[in-house]
Amino acid sequence: MTLSAVLLVTAVVWVVSVIRSVRLRALVYSLPLPMTLALLTTDYRVDGAQVLGVLGLNLFFVTVAVTHQRWRWPILLADVAGIAVYVALSAGLLAVDIPFEAALAGTLVLWLAAILWLRRRARRRGAPAEEAVAVAETRPDGLPALLKLVVIFVGAVLTQLLGAVLRGMVVTFPYSGVLVAVEARRQLAEFSRHFARNSLALVGFLTAYHYLQDVSSAAALGAGWAAFAVVAAALHLPLRPRQVAHARAASRPPRTLRPATEPPTPTGLP
């Protein structure tokens, strides 16, 4: 654990805590900042287990969302359940040697299946497909700014200590996610859907890093961030025209049918 890692996690969670849009929160959280720092400060390589670790990040948020919102567990207990699921998955992944290409193919298939399922579920509920880019407002939690910063810093120290025992899976451990789940506890389902879509960009980051990690760490990180930016842009740019059209349609007042104009009564007739 390093002080720089703690400060980075604190900064990410602080930024997420002041953003009101759930979609933007998920995008900021998906930035591979903790991954970059973990790769810079350790000698772990990116292999198949780390790519599957992105699925572990999604399972973490799904577990927290289900236990907190559906089962009504306290958010901290739900966080513990999410960490337990991630640690159990990590232990299984580290116990076997997973070829990178097989892990990548499996991750892409599962990601596509999850996205299709989420869209089908949205249609069944009668919600528009653009629900994934809707903006939700958050309510203040009442904590003073300085106290919240202290709480976030202490939480960052604890999650860094926990992540340090996971060996190679520290790369994808949800350092800031543990605290972000607390901040986004009122919109966990929406946050999980947004992050599931954005997680493909993290797969792009790890894939580019994997193929260039034997060249140099600088080249691998540069390629990883470039791949993340390209995939994130591909995920978000096509949605903007539909988002704007949907917002305009929602803000437009409903049309009212005007009664047909009655023809004038002929002169001389009663």
Side-chain angles (χ1 to χ4, degrees), residues 1-2 5-10 12-13 29 31-39 41-42 44 57 60-61 79 83 86 152-182:
M1 183 193 70
T2 63
V6 172
L7 292 177
L8 177 62
V9 171
T10 302
V12 171
V13 178
Y29 172 72
L31 294 174
L33 293 170
M35 288 186 183
T36 299
L37 191 59
L39 291 170
T41 56
T42 66
Y44 293 119
L57 284 173
F60 166 80
F61 280 109
D79 252 343
I83 293 174
Y86 181 87
I152 291 173
F153 179 81
V154 173
V157 173
L158 295 177
T159 52
Q160 283 292 124
L161 289 172
L162 179 60
V165 304
L166 290 175
R167 293 183 291 161
M169 297 306 290
V170 298
V171 175
T172 53
F173 179 75
Y175 296 101
S176 54
V178 175
L179 302 175
V180 167
V182 177

Side-chain angles (χ1 to χ4, degrees), residues 36 41 50 76 85 98 101-102 129 135-136 151 169 177 194 214 220 230 236 246 254 257:
T36 299
T41 56
Q50 283 71 37
L76 294 181
V85 169
I98 306 173
E101 285 73 18
V135 173
V151 171
M169 297 306 290
H194 293 306
D214 292 329
V230 170
H236 287 271
H246 179 66
L257 296 178

